[in-house]
Amino acid sequence: MEESGTAVTQAHNLSDYQAVGVRCREALLELIGVAQDAAMWTETPPQRANFRAWTEIICNDLLPGNTNKERRGALKSAHESAWTFSNWLTHAKPATWIDAEMAHSLIQHAIGMATSWILRELRGVPEACPNCGSPHLQPEHGENTDAPGILWERPRCADCGWAGRPVPILDFEDGQPIITREGEETDECSIMTVPLRTILKPGNPTIEPLQNTEPGPLEHVVYFAYGSNMSTAGCANACRAASHSASLPCRVMCSVFISVAWTNPGSATHLPLATRIV
């Protein structure tokens, strides 16, 4: 999934957009492949790459019964949408960069939901504490002296202290840390100098930082409007200038303009009167 995200940022033409669809499709196949290796879902498994069949089996096993009908339907529809759109993008002639980004967003949503439910199932995490019914369950990690070098995890209730069955989640000898960090630790804060003025797409020029961004005093500006419609653009500008100067919310100043305009229909002087506070 990370590779498909990188491919989106580097996509510039039709073949690149279609390649994103291929990577998204591979990510979904990788999901059901990992799920098959992690647990036994059925005694009569379909072909390993049969995405729709495995999605049906896994979702039905994770969320059985009528009480989970809506949850099961949401999980299935998310995967069906991601799979269908990714396959379409792989061969779509009118594909655009927006389509590539959409495909990546769809698989992120689907894989994220599936991963959460699969992990809960594999680690034996109930929906609520079986002892007191509390939903406040937290993961608890520890090691077993009889089996050193292995990290175990079990759910524990924060209210009554109930603890579930521990399961091994990491082998310290050849495994990786649960959380990996990069870079150096620092207490310094960073402030972005480039304003987020637009969404950059691949190939767009880089937005340069603004120069001399220190705020200064507002200029004295008087706006005129003619007619009973309050000249919408002029009213908006005058309202903005007045509200900044008077430290009042813009909606308060707008109510001032509107009230004056209604009491003096057709007046050409209600905006200059209001902007005298600038």
Side-chain angles (χ1 to χ4, degrees):
M1 187 165 61
E2 183 178 352
E3 292 180 356
S4 63
T6 303
V8 171
T9 62
Q10 298 175 351
H12 297 281
N13 50 50
L14 177 60
S15 61
D16 293 340
Y17 309 146
Q18 293 176 338
V20 171
V22 174
R23 291 184 181 275
C24 289
R25 185 175 182 274
E26 292 174 349
L28 293 171
L29 291 175
E30 184 70 17
L31 169 67
I32 62 169
V34 171
Q36 293 172 55
D37 296 336
M40 178 68 69
W41 301 97
T42 178
E43 296 180 356
T44 56
Q47 294 180 346
R48 185 175 179 85
N50 192 335
F51 180 83
R52 286 191 170 95
W54 276 109
T55 298
E56 186 75 15
I57 293 172
I58 294 174
C59 291
N60 290 340
D61 189 276
L62 291 174
L63 300 165
N66 291 331
T67 57
N68 288 318
K69 180 180 179 180
E70 284 72 22
R71 298 188 184 105
R72 187 171 58 249
L75 192 59
K76 288 181 180 180
S77 62
H79 284 79
E80 177 63 25
S81 298
W83 178 254
T84 302
F85 194 85
S86 297
N87 279 285
W88 169 82
L89 179 60
T90 302
H91 306 286
K93 298 299 182 182
T96 64
W97 184 85
I98 296 297
D99 297 323
E101 184 186 38
M102 185 175 177
H104 182 247
S105 298
L106 286 172
I107 68 164
Q108 278 188 311
H109 178 59
I111 293 177
M113 286 198 302
T115 301
S116 177
W117 283 105
I118 291 174
L119 287 178
R120 289 175 64 91
E121 177 71 15
L122 296 179
R123 298 182 181 182
V125 181
E127 292 185 5
C129 174
N131 186 45
C132 68
S134 172
H136 303 145
L137 300 176
Q138 302 173 347
E140 184 179 57
H141 301 104
E143 296 185 53
N144 189 339
T145 55
D146 295 334
I150 298 178
L151 182 66
W152 298 73
E153 180 182 285
R154 65 181 180 182
R156 174 175 287 277
C157 179
D159 294 334
C160 71
W162 171 86
R165 175 178 58 89
V167 294
I169 62 171
L170 180 66
D171 188 340
F172 287 122
E173 294 183 358
D174 57 4
Q176 298 292 330
I178 296 178
I179 300 176
T180 58
R181 302 182 183 275
E182 297 181 358
E184 300 178 355
E185 294 186 0
T186 176
D187 294 330
E188 296 181 357
C189 297
S190 60
I191 300 176
M192 293 184 294
T193 57
V194 179
L196 303 179
R197 301 191 295 267
T198 184
I199 298 178
L200 288 180
K201 297 181 180 180
N204 287 359
T206 304
I207 297 180
E208 298 296 333
L210 294 178
Q211 304 296 329
N212 301 324
T213 56
E214 292 295 328
L218 293 175
E219 298 180 0
H220 180 86
V221 180
V222 177
Y223 297 91
F224 292 88
Y226 297 90
S228 57
N229 62 357
M230 297 192 299
S231 181
T232 305
C235 178
N237 290 330
C239 175
R240 190 177 300 110
S243 63
H244 282 307
S245 177
S247 298
L248 294 174
C250 184
R251 58 180 179 273
V252 175
M253 299 308 303
C254 285
S255 65
V256 173
F257 289 129
I258 294 172
S259 63
V260 175
W262 278 109
T263 54
N264 299 277
S267 171
T269 60
H270 62 282
L271 284 178
L273 286 174
T275 55
R276 287 177 185 174
I277 63 175
V278 178

